[in-house]
Amino acid sequence: MAYRTTKKYEKNETIILAFDIGTTHTYQNGEAQYFGAEAREYIDEDEYEIARWFKLHLHPDSMKFGQLSELEIPSLPSGVSLPQVYADFIRYIYNGTKEFFISNTPNGQHIWSRLKDQMPIIFCTPNGWDMSEHAFLTQAAIQAGITDPSNAEDRLWFLTEGEASVHYSLAHTKTAEWLKMDTIFAVTDAGGSTVDSTLYCCRRESPLVLEEVCASACVQAGGVYVDRAVEDLLKHKLANSNYGDEETISLMVRQFEQKTKRTFDGSQTSNIIHFGTPRDNDKNHGIVKGKLTLGRDDVGAAYTRVISNITESCRTLLGNRNVQHLLLVGGFGESPYLRQQLKNIFDERRTQVVTIDEPSKKAAADGAVIWYLTQLVEARAARFDYGIICAENYDRNLHVRFEDKRFVSQDGIEIFWKFNVLIPKDTIFTHQWSLAFEGRRGFTEQPTATSLGNCGMEVFVWRGSGPRPYALDPITSNPYLGSKPISGLDSHFSVRADLRALAGSIESGWNQRTEMPFWFVQHTLDLYFRDMKLSARLRWEEKGVERTGPATIIPVTKL
């Protein structure tokens, strides 16, 4: 890609590699063979199996939205795991990039060899992906051989498609006329499987500084859902014809995706799918000389659910705010029909849908490179409620409705488990954001240095549709027994630390109810961002002196 800016580049010389995860490649006997557009040519070949729309396998439940969430996800090729699919894709992109760079750059082999072990690797991911999916991609990158466990944390970056797209959009649109101080605008990246929308506010014009206004949106409503709707339409339409077999339907869908869908704007009364030869005829089913004709209403109906979901997602994001511009990018964002429908819908609320002249199919990957160079966004919004499960002293006057959740703790006090929110949804945090949480760990037996070394803390995320929970079940929510509280409240990541250094700060007490001693240690957990990456450390006081120690963040892994 070519990108020019007046901003001086002051970092070290580097090669920047950005990934926008694809959706299709073929396997033969468990080995990857072809990728992307080339792979689609082998979909109907018996000796090949297709890994198709594999991003859908990794989408969290929180991204499922409306009736489109019922889409059947194509199974993976036999004997091929999802980690292998991603590792093969990452390896293919990496090797192709290496070959292109070396062949097209003067002294390319020497430059690549000198910089390859330090170059930043950026994965563009849907807005709805989080630490679990990032951890999965990290392992896939290691499996692909493009990095190793010792430096993966330093070299790998994860950027939302929304943030990548805003950098791409602003680099390719004339913003001087409307992007002023305190202007709020939206960016919608409509891709193959997801549509990611983010709301930004301009906090400074020169140099440009943006911040997210609220939690970004991400729904499963991309172009593949239109293809699947057309497939269902064709199966129904051709059920009693000689052209209703799986192979022919698959060929028709491919032709629709590659040609018909890319030109359909809603004005054509007849829409042609070229799939056969002049000898293929079935006038009763609209087939003449190898061409199937679909009416405008038939094709438009394939978009109905998708556009409805995109519209509802965007309307919820914009709310009652004065948003005058919505920048539309992404491969599906180039659909003439989608563009026209969104323009018609948002004209009613005086929000102009803006498209760009440059091809935006690779807005995420190109935008990620621009992001690395400029980093216009300085504040982001939490998409969910994040917190921990901890104990609350039971007060008979205040907590009578939680009476069935109370129990007696190790030190003889009536308590109940609660979901304590540390980061509420829509919280705006910057690079300087940090959070300190006071923690206490109790023991019924005097702890040793070994038992202190196993301490940790689990952070949960509330993705449920209703009000977030407060008081929790006393057994299933015990954070020391592996909490599995309620549907929608999921473990997000844990913080682990070697606490043996706290042996000198152990305190003791006496449980008057059980007439037994107990012991405890107190510490502070600090969460903060270091270069956009969440980090943690532990602090505690020992004999009046504050001490610190390392802590490791361990995301909940997928699969």
Side-chain angles (χ1 to χ4, degrees):
M1 62 164 288
Y3 172 69
R4 294 177 176 83
T5 177
T6 57
K7 184 178 179 180
K8 183 180 179 181
Y9 179 74
E10 297 179 342
K11 298 179 181 179
N12 295 330
E13 178 188 15
T14 190
I15 301 170
I16 306 167
L17 178 58
F19 285 85
D20 183 13
I21 304 297
T23 57
T24 304
H25 48 276
T26 63
Y27 283 84
Q28 186 177 40
N29 299 322
E31 297 293 329
Q33 299 294 328
Y34 302 102
F35 297 81
E38 188 177 13
R40 288 194 285 270
E41 299 299 321
Y42 296 87
I43 286 180
D44 296 322
E45 300 292 334
D46 293 338
E47 63 267 33
Y48 293 100
E49 293 184 272
I50 307 298
R52 187 183 185 196
W53 304 348
F54 56 83
K55 283 176 73 173
L56 299 178
H57 286 271
L58 205 55
H59 287 348
D61 290 341
S62 58
M63 285 176 54
K64 296 177 181 178
F65 188 83
Q67 293 174 310
L68 294 182
S69 64
E70 301 170 2
L71 174 73
E72 180 183 352
I73 301 175
S75 59
L76 298 177
S78 56
V80 178
S81 66
L82 188 61
Q84 180 183 341
V85 169
Y86 276 83
D88 289 338
F89 175 81
I90 291 170
R91 189 183 301 111
Y92 165 76
I93 295 295
Y94 180 87
N95 289 339
T97 302
K98 174 183 176 181
E99 181 180 342
F100 180 86
F101 183 90
I102 291 174
S103 301
N104 293 273
T105 305
N107 202 21
Q109 179 67 64
H110 174 72
I111 296 173
W112 184 274
S113 299
R114 179 164 52 86
L115 299 177
K116 65 182 179 66
D117 293 330
Q118 289 79 39
M119 68 177 178
I121 300 169
I122 309 168
F123 285 101
C124 295
T125 64
N127 289 2
W129 286 17
D130 214 322
M131 294 178 69
S132 294
E133 292 76 25
H134 298 169
F136 176 92
L137 289 177
T138 297
Q139 292 304 312
I142 293 171
Q143 183 177 337
I146 70 170
T147 188
D148 57 68
S150 65
N151 63 7
E153 184 176 354
D154 293 329
R155 292 185 61 198
L156 300 185
W157 298 80
F158 299 97
L159 185 70
T160 64
E161 292 175 354
E163 188 162 335
S165 295
V166 73
H167 283 80
Y168 181 85
S169 301
L170 297 183
H172 294 287
T173 54
K174 298 178 180 179
T175 60
E177 297 179 0
W178 61 269
L179 189 55
K180 307 297 183 182
M181 188 74 169
D182 295 327
T183 296
I184 297 177
F185 66 98
V187 177
T188 294
D189 180 2
S193 64
T194 64
V195 175
D196 302 276
S197 299
T198 313
L199 206 57
Y200 291 100
C201 181
C202 176
R203 291 306 185 198
R204 191 169 64 211
E205 293 182 49
S206 182
L208 184 61
V209 172
L210 307 175
E211 72 173 36
E212 290 186 14
V213 175
C214 59
S216 60
C218 181
V219 290
Q220 291 186 165
V224 298
Y225 296 92
V226 175
D227 300 341
R228 177 54 64 89
V230 167
E231 181 179 349
D232 292 340
L233 167 68
L234 295 176
K235 286 179 178 179
H236 178 75
K237 182 180 180 68
L238 303 175
N240 297 317
S241 78
N242 293 327
Y243 298 93
D245 60 282
E246 184 176 339
E247 183 176 335
T248 303
I249 295 293
S250 177
L251 174 60
M252 290 179 177
V253 172
R254 288 205 308 278
Q255 292 301 312
F256 170 83
E257 192 280 327
Q258 294 172 14
K259 297 179 180 179
T260 313
K261 186 172 73 171
R262 303 185 186 195
T263 58
F264 177 69
D265 62 9
S267 64
Q268 307 96 324
T269 56
S270 298
N271 300 273
I272 309 299
I273 298 179
H274 297 258
F275 74 94
T277 70
R279 289 179 293 181
D280 293 308
N281 294 280
D282 186 344
K283 292 185 179 180
N284 291 333
H285 291 89
I287 296 174
V288 178
K289 296 183 178 181
K291 302 174 184 178
L292 171 67
T293 301
L294 296 177
R296 176 172 51 202
D297 292 342
D298 284 339
V299 179
Y303 288 79
T304 300
R305 290 183 179 180
V306 169
I307 291 176
S308 175
N309 282 11
I310 294 173
T311 301
E312 185 174 346
S313 175
C314 289
R315 280 175 172 164
T316 300
L317 181 73
L318 271 57
N320 295 321
R321 301 177 182 90
N322 179 23
V323 181
Q324 296 184 0
H325 297 86
L326 186 154
L327 310 183
L328 179 63
V329 297
F332 186 39
E334 294 181 352
S335 160
Y337 187 70
L338 176 65
R339 289 182 171 185
Q340 189 58 53
Q341 291 299 303
L342 292 182
K343 286 181 179 180
N344 293 343
I345 291 168
F346 286 99
D347 274 351
E348 297 178 3
R349 58 160 292 154
R350 298 183 180 179
T351 297
Q352 179 184 0
V353 175
V354 179
T355 56
I356 60 179
D357 295 332
E358 296 292 324
S360 60
K361 188 171 184 179
K362 294 303 177 184
D366 287 358
V369 175
I370 300 171
W371 164 83
Y372 189 83
L373 297 173
T374 60
Q375 300 197 15
L376 303 177
V377 180
E378 292 193 351
R380 298 164 184 84
R383 297 193 67 244
F384 301 104
D385 295 314
Y386 300 89
I388 64 171
I389 294 176
C390 63
E392 172 87 349
N393 288 345
Y394 180 78
D395 187 319
R396 294 179 182 273
N397 295 321
L398 298 176
H399 303 138
V400 64
R401 65 188 185 281
F402 306 139
E403 184 176 5
D404 61 329
K405 305 291 193 299
R406 64 189 171 95
F407 62 96
V408 179
S409 68
Q410 296 163 339
D411 48 3
I413 300 174
E414 284 191 324
I415 62 173
F416 62 91
W417 297 121
K418 73 170 184 177
F419 177 50
N420 184 37
V421 177
L422 304 177
I423 307 173
K425 181 180 178 180
D426 291 325
T427 295
I428 305 297
F429 46 87
T430 65
H431 303 305
Q432 291 77 38
W433 175 90
S434 64
L435 177 71
F437 183 80
E438 304 296 331
R440 168 173 163 150
R441 180 74 186 272
F443 304 87
T444 55
E445 297 181 359
Q446 186 167 3
T448 64
T450 302
S451 62
L452 283 176
N454 295 326
C455 291
M457 184 174 293
E458 195 169 12
V459 176
F460 288 79
V461 55
W462 171 245
R463 295 190 177 100
S465 57
R468 65 180 181 233
Y470 186 73
L472 304 172
D473 184 90
I475 298 177
T476 60
S477 300
N478 189 329
Y480 305 116
L481 298 177
S483 301
K484 294 181 180 179
I486 59 173
S487 176
L489 185 59
D490 303 315
S491 178
H492 190 52
F493 66 88
S494 60
V495 181
R496 295 287 182 262
D498 184 349
L499 300 183
R500 286 176 290 183
L502 273 70
S505 64
I506 297 173
E507 299 180 57
S508 62
W510 184 259
N511 186 333
Q512 294 184 353
R513 179 174 296 188
T514 63
E515 297 185 349
M516 296 289 290
F518 64 90
W519 293 262
F520 63 94
V521 290
Q522 298 187 113
H523 56 77
T524 301
L525 169 65
D526 290 327
L527 295 176
Y528 61 96
F529 283 100
R530 179 174 59 86
D531 295 333
M532 274 187 60
K533 299 176 181 179
L534 188 64
S535 302
R537 70 171 182 176
L538 282 168
R539 288 187 290 120
W540 70 94
E541 189 174 293
E542 184 175 327
K543 298 178 181 179
V545 178
E546 183 177 85
R547 300 185 181 277
T548 61
T552 302
I553 292 178
I554 307 173
V556 173
T557 56
K558 288 271 201 176
L559 305 179

